[in-house]
Amino acid sequence: MDSIVSNEIYNLKLNAISDFFIDMLLEEEAHRANQTKYEFIKSYTPKNFTSALEIELKNNDYEAVLANDSIRAEAIYNTAVYQVSLNGVKSELIDDAKVSVFLKKDFHREFQGNLEGPHIMETGNGCCLEIAVISNYECLHCYTIYDDIKLLADRYKDIAQFKFVYFSDQLLKFAKAPIAADNQNAFDAMNDFVIERVHDGILSDSLILSFAEHLGLNIKDFKEDYNSINVHKQILRNIDVLKDNFIFQTPILIINNRIYDEPNVINILKKILEDKKDEH
């Protein structure tokens, strides 16, 4: 469900931004032609104008209206001509890749604020990229890309530093376990354990404590950190910061303070990492 919602939000966002930039480009093109935007659109004739106009008229029951109301039919016809011309202009602008240039530059908005906590995967001292993985243990899509994230974190440990940030209101209690384990340098192992156990549908305090013992952690210190109200509040503050940035679904990556929420975000991350590696 998270991945479906993420995909829908992404498409809505992309469409809204595309329309915004297309409108900007229309204004610019009309200005160059010394016309209003309306005049510029009306003067444009697409290559497939006739066939597109026929479809537009049919969709508006033009023939049926024409038989009974010529005035209304004329209005439908003029509107259809304008709409076909508008669609043609938009297609031309997109085909010319003018919009994609804007989208590539401005699509990923800047992240505001700080995310607390040492949720750091052990990836060395990455020099160039800071990547926050916004995830939650109940998210199926997060689970499916987690192994890829771990592999990338290891492969590019010389140029990137990964941070895992939990985002959900459902399993806050168990989300504290990896943070408590981090205080004893065991974040990765405990985080892996919680992810797998949630996916299997089996997780409890006793299982977490048992695994902490298996890792050789100081159980007294671990229990104190695991039940810490400060750790709980820290997670809540992170969630508030994410919501302030209009982040409401997972997975999302924040790469050098830019928000990436596309459904194919893992492929985008791979390309960014490879490009950055080539620079060095």
Side-chain angles (χ1 to χ4, degrees):
M1 181 60 71
D2 279 326
S3 61
I4 293 173
V5 171
S6 177
N7 188 63
E8 289 298 319
I9 291 175
Y10 170 75
N11 287 329
L12 286 171
K13 178 180 174 184
L14 182 60
N15 290 336
I17 294 177
S18 295
D19 287 342
F20 173 75
F21 284 118
I22 286 173
D23 194 62
M24 282 179 53
L25 291 169
L26 281 172
E27 292 280 5
E28 182 180 334
E29 295 294 329
H31 180 73
R32 287 177 182 174
N34 198 27
Q35 295 177 310
T36 66
K37 187 170 67 173
Y38 177 78
E39 290 171 338
F40 176 75
I41 292 170
K42 282 211 56 172
S43 67
Y44 180 80
T45 303
K47 294 176 182 178
N48 63 338
F49 178 81
T50 302
S51 58
L53 180 59
E54 288 178 356
I55 293 171
E56 189 71 21
L57 290 173
K58 185 175 182 181
N59 289 339
N60 287 279
D61 296 324
Y62 174 72
E63 294 294 336
V65 174
L66 181 61
N68 297 292
D69 190 339
S70 60
I71 295 177
R72 185 177 165 216
E74 183 179 4
I76 290 175
Y77 183 86
N78 291 333
T79 301
V81 169
Y82 180 81
Q83 189 60 50
V84 169
S85 298
L86 176 60
N87 292 339
V89 174
K90 286 183 176 181
S91 296
E92 182 181 272
L93 291 173
I94 293 172
D95 290 342
D96 286 347
K98 294 177 182 176
V99 172
S100 64
V101 172
F102 281 106
L103 291 178
K104 183 178 291 186
K105 180 180 178 182
D106 296 323
F107 185 74
H108 301 103
R109 52 199 173 81
E110 186 175 353
F111 181 80
Q112 303 288 337
N114 296 309
L115 296 170
E116 301 177 68
H119 324 311
I120 307 295
M121 295 180 181
E122 295 176 5
T123 58
N125 299 314
C127 72
C128 308
L129 292 173
E130 294 183 1
I131 302 162
V133 182
I134 313 305
S135 186
N136 82 68
Y137 300 127
E138 310 95 296
C139 166
L140 179 60
H141 190 37
C142 298
Y143 178 83
T144 58
I145 71 170
Y146 184 69
D147 286 342
D148 285 331
I149 292 287
K150 294 282 285 183
L151 287 172
L152 292 172
D154 181 63
R155 183 179 303 165
Y156 296 96
K157 59 188 175 184
D158 293 333
I159 63 168
Q161 180 68 69
F162 284 73
K163 176 184 291 188
F164 183 97
V165 181
Y166 176 78
F167 176 59
S168 177
D169 297 322
Q170 302 304 314
L171 297 178
L172 285 174
K173 181 178 183 180
F174 298 135
K176 293 191 293 182
I179 302 174
D182 185 80
N183 291 334
Q184 300 184 51
N185 300 314
F187 173 84
D188 280 357
M190 183 61 77
N191 199 48
D192 289 350
F193 178 77
V194 173
I195 287 173
E196 291 295 335
R197 294 289 79 77
V198 170
H199 180 70
D200 293 340
I202 305 172
L203 188 61
S204 65
D205 289 342
S206 60
L207 282 174
I208 285 175
L209 291 174
S210 176
F211 187 68
E213 290 178 349
H214 171 75
L215 292 176
L217 304 185
N218 181 309
I219 296 303
K220 179 178 179 297
D221 290 345
F222 177 80
K223 283 184 177 179
E224 183 177 331
D225 292 332
Y226 180 47
N227 294 307
S228 168
I229 187 64
N230 289 330
V231 171
H232 184 81
K233 287 181 177 179
Q234 173 189 295
I235 296 175
L236 292 179
R237 284 194 296 270
N238 281 343
I239 291 174
D240 286 341
V241 171
L242 293 170
K243 289 179 178 178
D244 286 343
N245 281 270
F246 301 99
I247 292 174
F248 297 101
Q249 83 276 351
T250 54
I252 282 178
L253 300 184
I254 300 172
I255 305 174
N256 278 5
N257 274 344
R258 307 292 294 184
I259 300 170
Y260 291 76
D261 58 359
E262 294 87 333
N264 63 331
V265 68
I266 195 70
N267 293 325
I268 293 172
L269 175 60
K270 288 177 182 178
K271 186 176 188 310
I272 290 174
L273 288 167
E274 195 59 36
D275 288 346
K276 184 61 68 173
K277 181 180 179 181
D278 290 342
E279 293 177 8
H280 293 79

